[in-house]
Amino acid sequence: MILLKEEQQHHQIKVHIEHKESGETIRQFLKRQWQVSGRLLTRLKKETGVLLNGEWAPFHTRLNEGDCLVLEMEEEPCEFSPNPINFGVVYEDEDLLVVNKPPGLLTHPTTRERADTLANAVTHYMMQRNETYKVRFVNRLDMDTSGVMIIAKNAFSHHHLMLQMQQDFMIKTYRVFVWGRMVPDEGTIDAPIYRPENIPVEEPPRRVVDPRGKSAISHYLVEQRYKEASLVKVTIETGRTHQIRVHMKHLGHPVIGDIFYEPSQPILIDRQALHAAETEFRQPRFGTVLQHAAEFPDDMKQLEKLLEAGPK
């Protein structure tokens, strides 16, 4: 299979068949090469979205060396209103947009907040570039957590990236400031996380470490120790709600600024000092490994300086 970069578009994948793929049916090729879901195959079939050498072809058609196969994905309308909110673009290609989400910004609209969200900001960004695609978030961050977020530009890339998450191929690494000088330098937290049933409806959903909970695994590495705090890098195997915050609290090192789980702490920052710093995954179309990092926002840079200024 040959994929030419200059021939690709976010709503169209164009490949040239090589000798080793000759004899495969279109269906076999799509499932083997990209693990295309049955749902997407049905959509492509319904929308006559597969063209072989410029003409529609059924999925049982066998491929020959030199054939040109095109997946034409119908551009789905974006359902969010545009809003010119600033965010950092970390990476962009035909299939995805990787951004550095600012703290204090919701991911998508809610019943209370309809326009001041990352989804609205991305919609404005795409319109400024004369693009149209449905905004599909691959990962989610709490409103007060900053850092790397991945947006898929088409159903194909969204499905492929979600598969990588389910198969634990996607690596997500966070950097977090916690209270206390953590020891040892590195370790693994394997502690199930549970949502108690007796929480009043009007209160936010709190999580605790409890044997009745779902498996939750976090790996940590201490990057820096200060007089009364530590900067820790955390890589998560699972993606439970509030996982890092709950695990750090469980170890006796609550996240600085996280007054939800540690209300009686000095106010050094106006939110939990938690940042999605790095991510690693395969580009859905080309299969190359992509590694991206998002720098600290201003409030965490200021917190870092404040902690560095004190005695070590």
Side-chain angles (χ1 to χ4, degrees):
M1 178 191 72
I2 300 173
L3 274 166
L4 299 178
K5 179 78 172 176
E6 62 272 15
E7 293 182 341
Q8 309 307 312
Q9 301 179 52
H10 72 267
H11 60 86
Q12 184 187 85
I13 302 175
K14 188 174 185 178
V15 302
H16 300 273
I17 301 302
E18 296 183 283
H19 177 72
K20 61 184 177 181
E21 290 105 22
S22 183
E24 284 188 316
T25 66
I26 293 175
R27 181 185 296 275
Q28 289 171 339
F29 173 79
L30 295 179
K31 281 187 168 290
R32 177 188 59 78
Q33 183 63 41
W34 289 307
Q35 296 178 277
V36 173
S37 67
R39 181 178 180 183
L40 180 54
L41 285 172
T42 300
R43 264 187 54 189
L44 289 169
K45 183 177 181 179
K46 183 178 180 181
E47 297 164 2
T48 61
V50 176
L51 300 177
L52 185 63
N53 300 321
E55 297 183 354
W56 176 83
F59 288 152
H60 63 264
T61 304
R62 295 197 177 274
L63 300 169
N64 295 302
E65 184 178 359
D67 282 346
C68 178
L69 183 67
V70 174
L71 272 65
E72 185 73 41
M73 293 168 284
E74 182 181 358
E75 293 193 50
E76 298 180 59
C78 180
E79 65 269 41
F80 306 115
S81 59
N83 193 344
I85 302 171
N86 290 328
F87 61 89
V89 176
V90 177
Y91 172 83
E92 184 172 12
D93 64 21
E94 298 84 1
D95 293 308
L96 52 97
L97 175 67
V98 181
V99 306
N100 186 357
K101 185 185 87 69
L105 187 66
L106 285 168
T107 298
H108 51 76
T110 64
T111 54
R112 292 186 177 183
E113 181 52 69
R114 304 299 301 172
D116 293 328
T117 74
L118 182 59
N120 303 108
V122 171
T123 301
H124 178 266
Y125 173 82
M126 86 166 75
M127 289 183 174
Q128 291 294 105
R129 297 168 62 84
N130 294 317
E131 294 183 343
T132 302
Y133 52 84
K134 183 177 180 180
V135 178
R136 298 173 171 89
F137 290 103
V138 177
N139 64 318
R140 303 293 175 96
L141 296 177
D142 294 338
M143 181 177 74
D144 288 330
T145 300
S146 56
V148 176
M149 289 198 67
I150 307 166
I151 296 106
K153 293 185 177 182
N154 52 59
F156 162 78
S157 59
H158 185 258
H159 167 73
H160 203 279
L161 291 168
M162 294 304 293
L163 271 181
Q164 291 187 48
M165 289 185 66
Q166 293 166 11
Q167 296 167 359
D168 296 328
F169 181 83
M170 184 176 291
I171 300 173
K172 294 177 287 184
T173 303
Y174 296 75
R175 298 180 77 202
V176 55
F177 290 99
V178 301
W179 289 108
R181 296 171 62 87
M182 279 192 72
V183 289
D185 291 341
E186 57 185 298
T188 294
I189 310 164
D190 186 351
I193 293 178
Y194 177 69
R195 178 180 177 176
E197 300 173 354
N198 58 349
I199 300 175
V201 177
E202 64 274 9
E203 291 185 11
R206 189 178 302 273
R207 301 295 194 274
V208 297
V209 168
D210 189 288
R212 294 172 293 177
K214 295 181 179 179
S215 172
I217 301 174
S218 306
H219 307 281
Y220 72 86
L221 172 67
V222 178
E223 291 190 310
Q224 180 68 56
R225 291 186 181 91
Y226 310 98
K227 181 182 179 183
E228 297 179 338
S230 302
L231 171 59
V232 185
K233 181 177 285 189
V234 182
T235 301
I236 59 175
E237 282 193 28
T238 52
R240 306 304 178 201
T241 300
H242 299 175
Q243 177 169 322
I244 294 175
R245 298 161 66 186
V246 173
H247 273 176
M248 292 297 105
K249 168 76 172 179
H250 176 66
L251 288 189
H253 296 280
V255 176
I256 293 177
D258 188 0
I259 59 174
F260 185 64
Y261 285 104
E262 187 67 20
S264 57
Q265 63 170 286
I267 304 300
L268 302 184
I269 187 172
D270 292 333
R271 51 117 178 175
Q272 67 259 16
L274 177 62
H275 180 70
E278 301 168 8
T279 188
E280 179 180 312
F281 56 91
R282 289 194 179 275
Q283 207 286 341
R285 190 178 308 215
F286 297 100
T288 52
V289 176
L290 300 177
Q291 296 174 314
H292 300 296
E295 67 174 10
F296 276 164
D298 289 342
D299 61 348
M300 287 188 68
K301 289 179 181 177
Q302 292 169 3
L303 175 61
E304 187 173 31
K305 289 180 180 178
L306 182 64
L307 295 173
E308 287 174 343
K312 300 290 180 68

